[in-house]
Amino acid sequence: MSATQSVNRATNPGNAGGESAANRRLAVPAIIWVALLTVPVWFPWLGGYNLLATRALTLGLAAMGLNLLLGTSGALSFGQAAFFGLGGYAAGETLMHLAPSTPLAILMGIVVGGLAAGLLGPIAVRLRGIYFSMITIAFGQAFYFIVVNWNGFTGGEDGLLGFNRQPIDLGNFALKLDSVQYYYLVLLCFAVVAGLIALLLRSPLGHAFIAVRENERRLNFLGVGARNLLWIAFTLSGMIGGLAGALYALLNNFISPAALHWTLSGDFVMMCVLGGMRSFWGPLLGAIVYVLAENFLSSYTDNWMTALGIMFILIVLFFPKGLLGMLRTQVKS
Amino acid sequence: MTDRKTSDSDGFGSTGRGGITRRDFLKAGATVAAAQTLGLGSPSAWAAGDAVRIGVLNPSTGTYAELGRNQTRGAEMAAAEINARGGVLGRKLDLIVTDTASKTGLAVSKAHQLVKQHGAHFLQGTVSSAVSEAIEQASREMGVLFVDSGGHATPVTGKQCTWSTFRVCTTTYMLAAGIAETLMQKYGKRWYFLTPNYAFGLTEQAAFERILKAHGGTVLGAALAPLGTTDFSAYLIQAQAAKPDCLIILQAGDDLVHALTQVNQFGLQKKFGVAGGMMELEVLQALPAAARVGDWSFEWWWDQPNVPEVKSFVERYRKRNGGKYPTARSWFGYVATHAIAQAADEAKSLDSVKVSRALAGLTLPVDVGLQPAKLQFRASDHQLMSGIFAGGVKAGGHYPDLFQVEKYEPGASIAQSATEKGCHMTYPS
């Protein structure tokens, strides 16, 4: 997990400590991975169920993708749900019309999400700040209305029905993809993406992303095109969004236009900020907190949105680095 | 659609129904959970672990909140009655109510939560058609019986039909068929449609058109408005220009409130007939008095002089709910809970497959059916043969006396057959 270490170093300069600090930085990711790997054992015992854990992981994956723009490159995108939803529809349509193959459906999700982001990126990256946010909302809503109005192909407002994730044939034995196996499939995808993001952030390209956030003008003076960098980040973020959307569609065996709506993009931003958008694990933590709050609070009160909203305000006001930033400060002091 | 095995093969006993230790842990751990338990905690003769549990998936936030709450009120009343006369299979009936906010993803997650975490034996509820269709699929995967109380899309008991899903409310086709002929006689055969652009509206329009054309009528046009439209003026100008005999409005919920308010502002009801498929007491109540116009179908109406059981039902319901009158939604929830309980008693089992077999073809007693005709869950597609109350809005009426029923159309005479809808019912062997 040395990759994560260097991310911490990159995002928190001056935090380099002694040997014990280094051990701690190794220990944290180890604990996280062990916890994630053993979810089907301890989570039901705490009152959860596998579908909920898988849902949190899927949304966390989309939020991590968004964070490549938001936390790393400093561009606030409200369009992540567009790529998430497109990936979901791509997976569903693949299973229904192309071939009954789960891996192909997931692959199509990545391709369609990445393609949409790659094509729209050049337009979006010309803008900065609020204008960037506005145009990403516009992209998202455009896809939303296409899906809603294209009744014949997408099922319109009612969503796309009639596909099922298919067992994966591994030669001499087949994965049925029941709830536990599907959790591990999602975890595998998550681990691959998390690993790649960690490698990316350690690479020169990742450092350049951070430079876009920190001082774009200087970067341009140095002869590095910030627009191209943002375009790459936008496309990668779209690919990850598409992957997460495909996994989400296969999780529910259902996808509806709500998965493309800008309010879901807002939820993704909220997850990043809640967990801590400057930390590697922040978006995942934010997604876990969000999904658990949504699920459990709404069983007890109709005003669960209020509770979630208050929590969000408190965190933004008092812990601008998010939950993870808060925890880190606690540990240090 | 291939049938997949239920996903309880995850091998962790605590996800099953007998998760006492986990439940105890939860109660001890989460103070909120404890508060909730105390809130429900009227002393009862039954042990808590013995209860028969129905998970209720209704929206109590979002666009359909009021409709969802009324379905829950009906279900709660049914549960109270069932418990007062001895429960289900001699065990207490517990409802576990949860909010879906009409979001499909959240609703599917909640369905799993109800079954795996709370140990619900059966599921009921939903208002939005999209949520019904998603829960239909999720409940089949879990092998759990689901009674769709209020999602109307035809595929639920049509192309998507499955052994584990039953439906109380009518299909979109029945909503149209219940009133179409009355409208042709009253206003004429040249119609213009104002249709919400999603499956509920589109299939209902198709049903109206089919009946109209079969009687030699003409479709002058249709304005498709997205779900959640608040400004209908552009569509209403088109409708006015077409000079129809009758404007058929197929919106529901808040959309219908907005459409009718603007119909009244344009004074369209004085120029041609205004009518539609589904009207609800909640909508009429929300409208300003002047905008309460038109001819509509109701799926259930509280004032049925020829069915004495209805009067007693209305009185009991009002007593429980601070004087509110029951709506069609209250009745949906009421029927769903009673039907599940009755089927479980007949099957002498809580096994979803056995209860499903008992519910298929089951006839509701009059004090549950609460309609002039005897109501049966048709075995071929699991659709309740519920009737349509067609009639007109009462001019100058006051809540709840806002509608005059002119004709009752029994469900069996207007429903499409299972084959027409494309339903092939199969049970797990």
Side-chain angles (χ1 to χ4, degrees):
Chain A
M1 283 309 116
S2 57
T4 326
Q5 263 184 69
S6 67
V7 175
N8 288 344
R9 207 178 301 137
T11 47
N12 298 327
N15 192 21
E19 204 170 300
S20 69
N23 281 343
R24 198 166 61 220
R25 280 196 226 113
L26 272 178
V28 170
I31 292 170
I32 292 173
W33 283 114
V34 169
L36 285 175
L37 276 168
T38 51
V39 157
V41 178
W42 56 264
F43 194 50
W45 187 73
L46 278 178
Y49 43 101
N50 293 321
L51 184 127
L52 188 66
T54 319
R55 183 176 154 85
L57 204 55
T58 321
L59 296 180
L61 184 59
M64 264 187 155
L66 172 67
N67 209 39
L68 273 183
L69 280 174
L70 183 64
T72 315
S73 313
L76 173 56
S77 164
F78 273 107
Q80 185 71 350
F83 311 120
F84 182 79
L86 283 177
Y89 274 95
E93 302 285 5
T94 302
L95 284 179
M96 285 174 79
H97 300 300
L98 278 182
S101 153
T102 302
L104 182 69
I106 294 173
L107 191 70
M108 285 300 282
I110 303 174
V111 169
V112 171
L115 211 59
L119 291 176
L120 292 173
I123 308 171
V125 298
R126 302 172 72 87
L127 304 165
R128 287 296 178 277
I130 186 82
Y131 303 103
F132 179 82
S133 305
M134 295 310 288
I135 201 161
T136 50
I137 290 190
F139 289 154
Q141 289 303 87
F143 285 120
Y144 174 79
F145 281 108
I146 289 171
V147 166
V148 164
N149 287 317
W150 197 356
N151 275 305
F153 187 59
T154 62
E157 191 82 47
D158 298 273
L160 188 66
L161 267 173
F163 60 89
N164 277 299
R165 52 177 192 258
Q166 298 296 317
I168 297 179
D169 198 1
L170 294 174
N172 43 9
F173 96 114
L175 279 178
K176 276 193 316 211
L177 290 190
D178 59 20
S179 69
V180 176
Q181 290 178 353
Y182 190 64
Y183 172 80
Y184 282 114
L185 179 67
V186 173
L187 186 62
L188 176 71
C189 295
F190 178 84
V192 170
V193 171
L196 288 177
I197 291 180
L199 281 176
L200 173 78
L201 289 178
R202 204 166 58 152
S203 74
L205 184 62
H207 290 289
F209 284 167
I210 294 167
V212 175
R213 179 186 84 203
E214 294 298 327
N215 196 336
E216 188 187 336
R217 186 174 293 176
R218 183 167 169 193
L219 203 61
N220 286 332
F221 274 132
L222 290 171
V224 187
R227 276 184 192 172
N228 285 341
L229 286 172
L230 264 186
W231 182 24
I232 296 171
F234 198 73
T235 309
L236 288 176
S237 150
M239 286 169 78
I240 299 171
L243 167 65
L247 293 172
Y248 185 75
L250 296 174
L251 171 67
N252 296 326
N253 286 326
F254 181 79
I255 186 91
S256 74
L260 288 129
H261 201 257
W262 71 270
T263 48
L264 183 64
S265 298
D267 290 344
F268 288 138
V269 172
M270 195 162 154
M271 289 169 199
C272 290
V273 176
L274 206 62
M277 58 183 181
R278 292 290 158 83
S279 350
F280 183 79
W281 295 104
L284 177 66
L285 180 69
I288 292 171
V289 170
Y290 182 91
V291 167
L292 290 184
E294 175 187 61
N295 213 69
F296 289 104
L297 289 179
S298 67
S299 303
Y300 297 112
T301 167
D302 286 351
N303 299 319
W304 57 274
M305 294 284 243
T306 317
L308 207 61
I310 291 172
M311 186 163 84
F312 183 67
I313 292 172
L314 288 177
I315 285 175
V316 170
L317 279 181
F318 297 108
F319 309 104
K321 282 183 179 166
L323 286 172
L324 216 59
M326 179 183 88
L327 289 176
R328 206 165 276 157
T329 325
Q330 295 285 325
V331 171
K332 242 188 277 174
S333 59
Chain B
M1 304 276 302
T2 49
D3 250 319
R4 235 143 25 76
K5 289 254 170 67
T6 55
S7 54
D8 58 1
S9 53
D10 47 16
F12 300 98
S14 49
T15 55
R17 269 132 208 196
I20 307 279
T21 39
R22 193 190 60 244
R23 293 180 73 79
D24 289 347
F25 180 86
L26 254 185
K27 277 175 196 163
T31 45
V32 204
Q36 175 78 359
T37 320
L38 290 174
L40 295 170
S42 55
S44 75
W46 294 280
D50 276 339
V52 174
R53 289 175 290 270
I54 301 180
V56 183
L57 291 154
N58 284 327
S60 50
T61 54
T63 328
Y64 296 131
E66 194 50 35
L67 305 179
R69 279 195 211 110
N70 280 338
Q71 288 187 174
T72 304
R73 288 185 185 116
E76 281 168 348
M77 177 168 161
E81 289 175 8
I82 291 160
N83 284 331
R85 63 166 189 239
V88 179
L89 303 168
R91 292 157 69 173
K92 184 177 184 245
L93 177 65
D94 261 347
L95 297 184
I96 312 162
V97 182
T98 190
D99 178 22
T100 63
S102 289
K103 292 184 187 171
T104 38
L106 181 62
V108 169
S109 166
K110 287 297 183 76
H112 281 255
Q113 183 187 18
L114 288 171
V115 173
K116 307 230 156 137
Q117 184 191 339
H118 295 290
H121 300 95
F122 312 107
L123 297 171
Q124 75 167 75
T126 73
V127 172
S128 145
S129 291
V131 174
S132 319
E133 290 177 326
I135 300 295
E136 173 166 38
Q137 193 153 314
S139 59
R140 186 192 55 198
E141 278 162 27
M142 292 186 287
V144 169
L145 173 78
F146 162 57
V147 178
D148 168 10
S149 45
H152 289 81
T154 304
V156 172
T157 52
K159 264 186 239 152
Q160 309 282 342
C161 80
T162 169
W163 67 271
S164 56
T165 296
F166 290 76
R167 175 156 61 187
V168 176
C169 70
T170 57
T171 64
T172 43
Y173 183 86
M174 292 161 81
L175 285 170
I179 197 170
E181 288 184 31
T182 317
L183 295 180
M184 283 185 269
Q185 286 159 15
K186 201 165 167 180
Y187 296 109
K189 292 181 180 172
R190 297 168 65 251
W191 290 357
Y192 192 89
F193 290 91
L194 183 56
T195 309
N197 194 4
Y198 64 108
F200 169 75
L202 296 170
T203 54
E204 202 182 348
Q205 185 190 329
F208 267 113
E209 282 187 3
R210 205 166 121 187
I211 300 163
L212 181 66
K213 283 175 185 158
H215 288 79
T218 330
V219 178
L220 294 179
L224 295 180
L227 186 67
T229 301
T230 50
D231 181 5
F232 285 91
S233 46
Y235 307 111
L236 292 178
I237 289 167
Q238 288 173 31
Q240 195 173 5
K243 294 198 173 62
D245 295 331
C246 187
L247 171 64
I248 310 286
I249 302 176
L250 302 176
Q251 268 67 17
D254 284 352
D255 289 10
L256 184 52
V257 172
H258 291 132
L260 278 177
T261 310
Q262 284 159 34
V263 162
N264 176 53
Q265 283 161 359
F266 280 63
L268 295 185
Q269 74 270 31
K270 296 180 191 104
K271 295 181 181 154
F272 39 74
V274 170
M278 182 177 69
M279 179 51 86
E280 310 201 52
L281 184 56
E282 290 91 339
V283 172
L284 282 184
Q285 207 185 334
L287 280 171
R292 288 174 185 153
V293 293
D295 294 79
W296 308 94
S297 300
F298 268 85
E299 287 171 88
W300 186 83
W301 186 243
W302 62 272
D303 186 17
Q304 298 179 43
N306 300 326
V307 189
E309 286 84 357
V310 173
K311 203 173 166 218
S312 143
F313 169 75
V314 172
E315 275 163 18
R316 283 177 286 138
Y317 184 88
R318 294 192 61 203
K319 214 186 236 174
R320 285 178 57 91
N321 293 295
K324 274 182 178 247
Y325 278 79
T327 67
R329 297 286 169 181
S330 326
W331 177 78
F332 294 159
Y334 184 77
V335 169
T337 304
H338 265 299
I340 294 172
Q342 193 181 336
D345 272 332
E346 275 183 26
K348 296 192 176 57
S349 164
L350 294 179
D351 177 71
S352 278
V353 179
K354 286 181 187 153
V355 177
S356 282
R357 288 196 188 276
L359 196 47
L362 180 113
T363 303
L364 297 174
V366 186
D367 59 349
V368 175
L370 298 169
Q371 289 194 10
K374 282 237 164 196
L375 303 189
Q376 189 193 27
F377 280 99
R378 190 160 66 178
S380 57
D381 61 352
H382 293 181
Q383 171 68 44
L384 182 68
M385 291 294 106
S386 161
I388 294 287
F389 299 79
V393 171
K394 258 189 195 171
H398 293 281
Y399 174 81
D401 195 15
L402 297 170
F403 185 74
Q404 183 61 53
V405 178
E406 282 151 19
K407 187 178 162 200
Y408 173 76
E409 192 75 61
S413 65
I414 46 175
Q416 292 166 293
S417 73
T419 355
E420 270 180 284
K421 290 191 294 178
C423 163
H424 306 283
M425 187 61 64
T426 47
Y427 276 80
S429 49

